[in-house]
Amino acid sequence: MVGGALAACALECEPASTRGRPALIAVAHGSRDPRSAATMSAVVAELAAARPGFDVRLAFLDLSAPSVEQVVDAVAAEGHTHAVVTPLLLGSAFHARVDLPGLLAAAHTRHPQLQLTQAGVLGPDVRLIAALRDRVAEAATYSAGRDRMLEATASQRDGGALASILSAPRDPLGARPNHRLGIAVAAVGSSSPAANARTAEVARRLAALTGHLTEICFATTEPTLPQAISRLRTRGAEDILVAPWFLAPGLLTDRLVAAAPNVLHANVIGPHAALTDIVWDRYDAAIATTLTMSA
């Protein structure tokens, strides 16, 4: 009797807004690099923490497990009747427009009782560009702190005044006086010039947010990172920082580091409050659209 009462209370006390809620299946690209899956797992952990009680799953399009098919099958087996599939993708390219819809159509054939709604991609949301700015600031601040430690060590060796070094003010972006910072925004790249042109908007928006010189470059096509660095130098940049427009590290971000090992590289976006907000916004918008279409 007590157990039954507790179960009834648990159901009754659950907020009405979350009862019967669709599952969230966050779909990442996938990579052979284990750092990528680990990073996306951390992203999805933050998604789940933001809305306790929601069923939040991670799936991959390729190269990593679990696959989209496996996760949809598991959601169906657990009795869900609706799931919102949210692509953790920065652009609306082939994966979002062709691959994922095809996988979901096949899954619906296997599970006709399960409604599958595909949400919008992340895209160049201004909040995500602000997250990129945060990674730039973190990298520059870390670099400034590291420089201070090196200077302090040299000062101790040379008998200099350590206190004056530690108390010296530092620009939060690590820029030295009269030095202009140039930011190379590095993305994957596409065979579509139109897609690359859309991605270039990220660099322009980052420039507007930071006031620094920016250039776009790609890991798989032109302009390359060395070309972007050359353009920044031509425009007067003296300090260069690479800002990867990637959610997770992997072979392509390693390629970027190898292409320019002597400049500062910021971290990928990874887990970030802005990313969490955007994914849940895409989820809510997908549900609202579904309700409007069925009304």
Side-chain angles (χ1 to χ4, degrees), residues 147-160:
D147 290 346
R148 291 178 70 185
M149 291 296 294
L150 292 173
E151 289 170 2
T153 301
S155 176
Q156 286 179 316
R157 283 199 306 264
D158 298 339

Side-chain angles (χ1 to χ4, degrees), residues 141-291:
T141 301
Y142 169 80
S143 177
R146 182 187 58 191
D147 290 346
R148 291 178 70 185
M149 291 296 294
L150 292 173
E151 289 170 2
T153 301
S155 176
Q156 286 179 316
R157 283 199 306 264
D158 298 339
L162 177 60
S164 64
I165 293 174
L166 294 178
S167 62
R170 294 281 176 164
D171 186 283
L173 280 173
R176 298 187 301 275
N178 303 319
H179 280 63
R180 300 188 73 189
L181 179 65
I183 303 174
V185 177
V188 175
S190 169
S191 58
S192 165
N196 291 336
R198 288 192 296 271
T199 304
E201 183 64 23
V202 174
R204 287 189 286 272
R205 291 186 180 184
L206 185 64
L209 277 178
T210 64
H212 295 294
L213 301 170
T214 66
E215 287 283 344
I216 192 67
C217 61
F218 302 103
T220 61
T221 187
E222 292 187 340
T224 64
L225 177 53
Q227 288 171 332
I229 291 174
S230 177
R231 291 177 182 179
L232 288 167
R233 297 284 191 202
T234 299
R235 293 173 63 192
E238 296 175 76
D239 295 322
I240 302 294
L241 188 147
V242 180
W245 183 240
F246 287 77
L247 294 181
L251 299 177
L252 291 181
T253 55
D254 286 350
R255 183 185 299 179
L256 291 167
V257 172
N262 298 320
V263 301
L264 185 62
H265 290 253
N267 285 327
V268 296
I269 294 170
H272 192 285
L275 179 56
T276 298
D277 290 344
I278 294 166
V279 173
W280 280 117
D281 282 354
R282 300 293 184 267
Y283 172 96
D284 293 338
I287 292 175
T289 301
T290 301
L291 292 174

Side-chain angles (χ1 to χ4, degrees), residues 22 82-84 115-119 283-295:
H82 189 190
V84 175
Q115 181 180 2
L116 293 166
T117 303
Q118 182 175 336
Y283 172 96
D284 293 338
I287 292 175
T289 301
T290 301
L291 292 174
T292 300
M293 292 177 65
S294 60

